[in-house]
Amino acid sequence: MKRCTGNAGTTNNGTPCPIGNECTGGATCHTTLIATDKAQSCIRVWTSVDTAVNNTSQSYELGYCGQSAALLNKLNKPTQAKFDKWGNIWVSDTDSNRVVRFPRNTYYRMDADVLIGQSTWSGTATTNLNSPSGVTVLDNGNIAVSDTNNNRINIYPAAIATPLPTAISNATPLKVITASDCAPNLKDPTRLVNRGNNLVVTDTGNHRVLEMDLSTLTGTPVTTKRLGQPISMTRLLRSDWTESNKVAATTASHALTNPLATFLW
């Protein structure tokens, strides 16, 4: 994302660059890169990759690299980090069973200001998450979270994604998605990508990628695209299938096996 970067605390620091890339208040427009360092339990941020060279040091980190804990300023094995349209950073903090948001005016090891889920336990209740592995914000502001070990996608209201909300926790989702019109039973969904108000889901356990229309949250979501899953893994494990048939099914150009990430460009 291209964001205005300047001194921490300035009003437009971290905001998306306006049309024409003319930032105000002494800030300048740069492409910001965020990377989830899962093994080190932190998010690494480079605020000016336009001029970066090999081995450029990070600008700052979110969480404490090398330390893991379920605290406001620490993370535990994060798996996905995404910008929203306001420049805030959302993180699926997988091993803490929560999603956290860092405000757009971020700085070194700052506290998260929004929590979704419980940091001390997992569960199946709608206010709980169990090893969430993906998060994104739709164009209408609603937050989508892949609640991986609960085999569902939770959609949370836009009110908690606005630029400067009151810090909250234990949010109740607007909708819980466990299937779509032609794709029953999500299994271990992981990374998420938004395309407008459509949601692209990496449905890892079902060896497929789905795109769902979430412009309305009534009824069962409509699947607009489905990639992969030409042959179920149950069928692949049948004893009467030859090895050559198994190889052909899993390596076909339309097949996927345990996909873990999806990107759009």
Side-chain angles (χ1 to χ4, degrees):
M1 168 179 271
K2 284 188 172 291
R3 302 198 304 168
C4 295
T5 56
N7 294 326
T10 56
T11 56
N12 67 345
N13 188 45
T15 60
C17 297
I19 296 174
N21 297 337
E22 295 297 329
C23 300
T24 59
T28 54
C29 184
H30 294 290
T31 300
T32 298
L33 172 70
I34 51 177
T36 53
D37 192 344
K38 182 179 180 180
Q40 296 296 321
S41 291
C42 63
I43 304 298
R44 299 184 187 273
V45 182
W46 288 263
T47 58
S48 183
V49 296
D50 310 86
T51 58
V53 296
N54 290 341
N55 301 320
T56 296
S57 297
Q58 67 185 36
S59 302
Y60 59 89
E61 64 193 48
L62 299 172
Y64 281 62
C65 291
Q67 300 181 33
S68 59
L71 302 174
L72 286 176
N73 63 350
K74 291 188 178 181
L75 301 168
N76 193 354
K77 302 296 189 295
T79 49
Q80 187 171 19
K82 293 292 294 289
F83 284 113
D84 63 22
K85 64 183 179 181
W86 297 285
N88 306 308
I89 299 174
W90 293 83
V91 180
S92 53
D93 191 16
T94 303
D95 280 14
S96 285
N97 302 302
R98 65 183 184 177
V99 165
V100 299
R101 195 204 78 163
F102 296 97
R104 64 193 184 197
N105 193 6
T106 53
Y107 54 86
Y108 190 71
R109 294 178 175 174
M110 76 175 303
D111 286 355
D113 68 344
V114 172
L115 305 178
I116 298 174
Q118 295 281 2
S119 61
T120 52
W121 68 87
S122 61
T124 58
T126 55
T127 54
N128 294 138
L129 296 172
N130 191 344
S131 298
S133 298
V135 60
T136 195
V137 181
L138 304 177
D139 279 8
N140 60 16
N142 289 340
I143 304 103
V145 175
S146 58
D147 190 7
T148 303
N149 284 359
N150 282 327
N151 301 307
R152 65 192 183 189
I153 305 294
N154 292 350
I155 308 298
Y156 297 92
I160 62 176
T162 50
L164 295 172
T166 302
I168 63 164
S169 61
N170 304 334
T172 299
L174 290 170
K175 187 174 184 65
V176 175
I177 301 170
T178 58
S180 68
D181 60 335
C182 66
N185 303 323
L186 294 175
K187 185 178 180 182
D188 302 327
T190 52
R191 307 302 186 267
L192 302 177
V193 179
N194 70 294
R195 194 164 73 93
N197 290 320
N198 282 11
L199 182 67
V200 180
V201 180
T202 307
D203 191 16
T204 302
N206 283 321
H207 316 287
R208 64 189 177 187
V209 173
L210 306 172
E211 182 176 344
M212 301 178 184
D213 182 356
L214 296 185
S215 56
T216 176
L217 295 180
T218 59
T220 302
V222 173
T223 300
T224 58
K225 291 183 180 65
R226 182 174 64 182
L227 304 174
Q229 200 196 10
I231 304 293
S232 70
M233 289 303 290
T234 301
R235 187 176 177 189
L236 288 177
L237 294 174
R238 281 172 36 184
S239 60
D240 59 340
W241 265 51
T242 65
E243 286 302 315
S244 60
N245 282 340
K246 293 178 183 180
V247 171
T250 56
T251 60
S253 60
H254 54 274
L256 294 171
T257 303
N258 295 324
L260 288 176
T262 304
F263 301 92
L264 298 175
W265 64 88

